[in-house]
Each structure stands twice: as C-alpha cells, then as structure tokens.
Amino acid sequence: MPRESRLLMLNAEAVAAVLQPNDVLEAVRRAFVLHSEAQGRVFPVIREKLSTGGVFGIKAGDVQAEGLLGFKAAGFWPSNRQLGGEPHQATVMLVDPATGRPVCIIDGNAITTARTGAAGAIGLQQLARADSRRLCVFGTGVQARVQVDFALRVLPQLDSLSYVSVDRQRDDGFERHVAGRLPVACAADADSAVARSDVVITATPGGGPLFAAAALKPGTHVNCVGADTRGKRELPDGVLERVRLVVDDRVQSRQIGESQWAPDTPCIEIGDLLTGKARLERTPDDVTVFDLTGLALQDLTVARLIHEKARDGGLGIEIPWPW
C-alpha cells in the first residue's frame, strides 16, 4: 500500500528569509567538528566537465547519529551569464536515512555562498594574526563579496581593503558593496597589493596563479577559495612548500584543491584545530594558508538549519510525495 509522505520545496526566496550569518557560522563550525570527530562522513566527490562547457558535481555525506543524510548537486555554467543568470548553480536534497525518501529540496545557491563565506571566516579566526588590518581580495563576484562580509564580521579591526579585479579596472558594484565599512581601492598590481596585506583572500574561478610567490611577506594569511576542481589553482609554485597549511579535508585538497599541485605538503584539518586534536602555534612570521574545497557536511548542516526554520515558519511549498 502507498505510504503518505510530503516533500518540502524551498526556493531562493524562502532560503533568504531564514539564512542568518551567525547561524551559518555555527552550522559550519558544527560541520567541521563532526568531521574531526569522525561522526560525519564525507563521500567521494563527483566533479566532471561537461560538453556544454559547464562543470557538474555532487557532494554527499551523512551524520548517522543525527539522522542527517543528503547531497548537493552543483556546478558552474559560464554561459548562464549570456542568459542573464548566475553561473553557479546548486540544489540540495535532504533524505530520510531510514527510508531513502526525500524530505526537502532546497535552492542551494545561497547555501553554497554563505557556507563558503562562513568557512573562510572560521579560517581567519583560527589563523590570521590578531593585529591584521590590511585585507586584499582577488575577485569581485558574489563569493568575493561574501568573503569580505564574513571577514569584517570576525576581524572588525580591518581598516583597509584592496581588491584585484580580472581586468585590473574598478568594479563599481563591488565598491558599493563595501562602501562605508572601510576604505577600498582597486589594485593595479597584484604583487604589490599582496605584499602590503596582512590577509589575502582569493575568490576567483581558479584559472591559474594570481600573484608571484615572492609577494607573500612573513606573517601573511591566505584563504584560498577558488580551487575546487582538478586543474584549478590560485597559488603560484613555491608557496605551499613554505607555508603552514590548513585544509577543510585532506583528501579533497589533494584531489581538487591547492594541494593537488604539491600533494606531499604537510597539512592540518581545520576541524582538528576546532576540537583540539591538533594545535598550530602561529609565530608572527609564519605564512599560513587555508585551502577551502567545500565539505558536503557544510551544505548538510546549513540545509538542516534552513529546513527546520522554514518548517517552523511555514515557508516553502509542500507537496504530496506518496510511495
């Protein structure tokens, strides 16, 4: 006999109504802790190029003790810009681990953006020098902007921002986004901008090295966001060999992150820093790097948060899903 069940569908508007930065920070922190404690599993990542010019991927995982199971299907379709749409596309599905039936389908674009920004913020909290004041950002798109938002949330002492756009020209939209929060300037020379900075965030499509290795001065911290596929990179040769490297997941970093270019580089997982399994005593001259490849657990803990808030608030569209 068919069993009665219902499926909740949450579009971008519903997600935006319940997504709050502090909640996302806590959910992402929880994901890293679960990963460190081996309570949350991260399944092998699917990430493949398509004949259409896009890249399609699936990140899945579970937390058996908490009844959390699901995946995010996502990727990058650059031709969407010609249609007036967002190139990054993502959909998250939460699944009942007892039956395999879908529980909730969520527009994942805002989840991906916010959880990556929150992950970057946690990296800054753990690794950036406490006296960091000068921020340099590569990129001016959605992810670059959210990285700045979260950086200012956790490093309120930052007092200047330089940014490097793809064409080295001013981006009025980016400047309006940060206007009134700190002085901002477009950098004509990437190496000079890096050399003057305490914190560097690279949030680009990962098409190649963004600056010279010699530009990184002692004491700098770098958050690398863009390398999430085989062949992508943002750091130049010679950097990983002289830094203290922290990653969200050791295997993923070597497969699709910056570590694919120097796989023997010793590293620490960020979750192990949060749980105390590992320690990193930063000296003033250490150069530190946090490589963010994105964990399925981040998507799932944030999606669970959204699902619970939307359900309690009566948001979304619920449809019969009998079986």
Side-chain angles (χ1 to χ4, degrees):
M1 296 291 292
R3 296 174 180 269
E4 289 297 324
S5 64
R6 302 186 71 80
L7 174 64
L8 182 63
M9 305 183 72
L10 301 173
N11 64 13
E13 183 179 359
V15 172
V18 298
L19 204 58
Q20 298 297 322
N22 286 339
D23 292 339
V24 177
L25 270 169
E26 287 306 310
V28 171
R29 184 180 295 273
R30 178 63 177 160
F32 288 147
V33 169
L34 287 167
H35 189 45
S36 174
E37 294 176 343
Q39 295 185 50
R41 295 190 297 173
V42 175
F43 304 153
V45 173
I46 295 173
R47 190 80 173 173
E48 298 294 339
K49 294 182 179 180
L50 305 176
S51 61
T52 59
V55 176
F56 176 70
I58 296 176
K59 290 182 176 179
D62 72 352
V63 184
Q64 296 184 54
E66 298 181 3
L68 182 60
L69 171 68
F71 65 87
K72 180 176 76 175
F76 186 76
W77 285 264
S79 60
N80 283 4
R81 292 192 182 99
Q82 300 167 17
L83 304 174
E86 167 58 45
H88 292 90
Q89 290 297 318
T91 303
V92 178
M93 180 184 288
L94 297 178
V95 177
D96 179 359
T99 64
R101 296 292 290 173
V103 174
C104 187
I105 296 177
I106 310 173
D107 185 299
N109 284 7
I111 292 177
T112 301
T113 299
R115 63 87 155 148
T116 308
I122 292 170
L124 296 179
Q125 288 175 319
Q126 293 294 312
L127 301 169
R129 295 191 338 265
D131 62 348
S132 297
R133 295 191 175 278
R134 296 161 298 185
L135 172 63
C136 173
V137 177
F138 284 79
T140 59
V142 171
Q143 190 51 233
R145 299 179 191 194
V146 79
Q147 288 291 330
V148 171
D149 293 342
F150 273 97
L152 292 175
R153 183 173 293 272
V154 299
L155 297 180
Q157 75 276 15
L158 291 172
D159 58 18
S160 70
L161 167 63
S162 60
Y163 69 96
V164 184
S165 64
V166 64
D167 58 4
R168 304 300 190 263
Q169 301 298 310
R170 286 185 56 188
D171 185 309
D172 291 339
F174 181 83
E175 293 194 9
R176 284 194 298 270
H177 182 79
V178 299
R181 292 190 281 174
L182 77 174
V184 57
C186 179
D189 183 79
D191 289 352
S192 296
V194 169
R196 291 193 303 266
S197 300
D198 303 309
V199 173
V200 177
I201 299 174
T202 59
T204 76
L210 298 172
F211 53 85
L216 273 179
K217 302 304 181 185
T220 308
H221 171 70
V222 185
N223 269 2
C224 296
V225 181
D228 59 1
T229 305
R230 288 188 302 273
K232 283 190 175 186
R233 69 185 307 180
E234 295 178 308
L235 295 179
D237 289 336
V239 167
L240 289 185
E241 291 83 352
R242 67 182 182 93
V243 306
R244 305 190 72 179
L245 177 62
V246 176
V247 301
D248 50 12
D249 181 84
R250 187 174 287 105
V251 173
Q252 279 190 193
S253 182
R254 289 171 179 165
Q255 290 178 339
I256 60 176
E258 291 292 342
S259 291
Q260 67 183 291
W261 305 102
D264 295 329
T265 304
C267 62
I268 298 170
E269 291 188 348
I270 190 78
D272 290 345
L273 291 180
L274 295 174
T275 60
K277 284 187 175 182
R279 294 180 62 84
L280 192 155
E281 298 294 340
R282 193 191 209 292
T283 70
D285 288 342
D286 282 336
V287 177
T288 52
V289 169
F290 180 34
D291 184 29
L292 297 81
T293 57
L295 296 184
L297 292 174
Q298 295 170 241
D299 298 310
L300 296 184
T301 54
V302 176
R304 175 173 60 185
L305 166 74
I306 292 169
H307 178 218
E308 292 172 351
K309 286 182 173 291
R311 185 185 55 202
D312 294 344
L315 299 175
I317 300 172
E318 197 173 52
I319 62 174
W321 202 258
W323 59 297

